[in-house]
Amino acid sequence: MTLPRYVFGLITLALMLALTAPATAQDADSDNIWWDPDDPRIGLEAGWYDAEEAARHMRILASDPRPDVFINPDDPGDLNYANSDMGFRDNYAVVGNFSGFMIYDISTPEAPELKTTVVCPGGQGDVSIHGDLVFMSVEQARGRLDCGPQGTSGAVDEERFRGVRIFDISDVSAPEQIAAVQTCRGSHTHTLLDSPHDDENLYVYVSGTSFVRHSAELEGCSDLPPAEDPETSLFQIEVIQVPLDAPETARVISEPRVFADEETGDPDGLWPGGDHGEGTQQTRATNRCHDITIYPELGLAAGACSGNGILLDISDPANPERIDEVEDPNFAFWHSATFNNDGTSVLFTDEWGGGTSPRCRPDDPIDWGANALFHLQDGEMEHAGYYKIPVPQTSTENCVAHNGSLIPVPGRDIKVQGWYQGGVSVFDFTDPSDPYEIAFFDRGPMDDDQLYVAGYWSTYWYNGYIYGTEIARGFDVFELEASEHLTENELEAAKLVSYDQFNPQHQPRNEWPAHFAVVRAYLDQAQRHEVLPQSQLAEVADELDRIEAMTDTSAQSDALSALAAEMTEATKSGTTDPARVQAIADAASDLAASM
């Protein structure tokens, strides 16, 4: 979420502007209606905990309200108590809040149990977890070194804290703050990098988007433009090094100028701010990143950096280098990024309206406040398409693209994503030029007459379930259901992927064990796309059933090898998509080898 400097709560001016549609908006009264009028998300009744719900191909298993200490009963949309991002380790979910964080035991997903509540104000409270360490972003001026609720005062306060906190949660019931690393703009979000080239240290990429603090409070801070101060605190990110054997000694080790002009070295080298011509979006200037998503096994990071999407080489974790950048005339604020699993595409989100405004109304442009999808090849990005939830929301629902993660279905690129009060959307972007929705969940607005900031900050897949942080309502758990878009075999294969820990802005490579479900998932995809005659595919399905029923593993291995050879031969003729057929062959061959 992107917020003005000192505003936390309902933003009067912003909401007044939010209720006015942009001049270039699509005419909702024209014949070009872009949504299904019968979509059950339309017309849901309002309410805080009793709003009407609509779902398709997914179901809600649990909804745990925020604890009282994280609620303003007079203003359910008070952002000082908003739920934010979350991270996972083993059977625990750490849920951030602008006033601290919570730890849930999710060993029974249908009944998550709140184990610990830590009050430590400072916003946004985005969290990550690594082993017994929890990291929390702090950017608000009220943040204190001692986590006290009394806040701070004045332009300079020696008790003020803005940066990244580190907690030891080896005792889950009693987390202890062991470090507090100060930065000039605070930490709006952060990214943990466990570099494959350095097993002694953890690295934290800090994205600071707020105002620059006074140099009397933190030495070296400057909000002057580069022309007046080459050491300005703008136009950079910070890199914190965390020695794993002494995390309490964490410190900032570099401040990379990832927006610099390649020829002149000017730190202000990318989008200057403004529109891109008639009918285009007003795009923020590129002087900070909002989110940086890393993919360590690829040695790459995708930075969503206000006015640009950038690609970084992170092979040297302390000194990331920009290798490509893109602009988009439909983007207001580049917010976050997601790679697909094989690193051939990357998705960026646009947080038009800062997350506090209604940006999914019938007359809002369908490619504003959306996802932009890019092909990625040889370190270069090429625009391919857009995705936005295919249904309008009301003027009292803040709605725009926000956080999500991949769902590990082999052979496909599928993402679950939160859209604030636009709900949860699960969509396929295997073809980045033609993404489509396959499941959703939504609630009615908090109120029919007034906009209270609420909805899904983040939704992530973790070990077979989808978890969501709802800003005003709490912590939700979902399960996907099989449909014409997603088969039982594909879901079973996705559930074979297990994480020990999972964090925002950190993508692990998904790998599937040898299993009949994986072979069948690829077979289902071949049937869906009719890449071979249906009669032939039906014979393959019958053969798989026969092989699985065998009791002799040696015979199973031989039969699977024969099936793999048959599928490889089928790639040479009679198929419209050899790659999909070869995927069946490869999965069958892997399964044979495992026996």
Side-chain angles (χ1 to χ4, degrees), residues 318-336:
N319 300 287
E321 295 184 2
R322 189 180 85 248
I323 57 177
D324 195 28
E325 67 278 340
V326 288
E327 301 169 1
D328 193 309
N330 294 311
F331 264 40
F333 190 89
W334 294 71
H335 175 274
S336 57

Side-chain angles (χ1 to χ4, degrees), residues 218-236:
L218 185 61
E219 184 179 359
C221 294
S222 168
D223 63 358
L224 295 174
E228 298 179 35
D229 183 359
E231 302 302 316
T232 178
S233 302
L234 306 174
F235 303 99
Q236 66 181 30

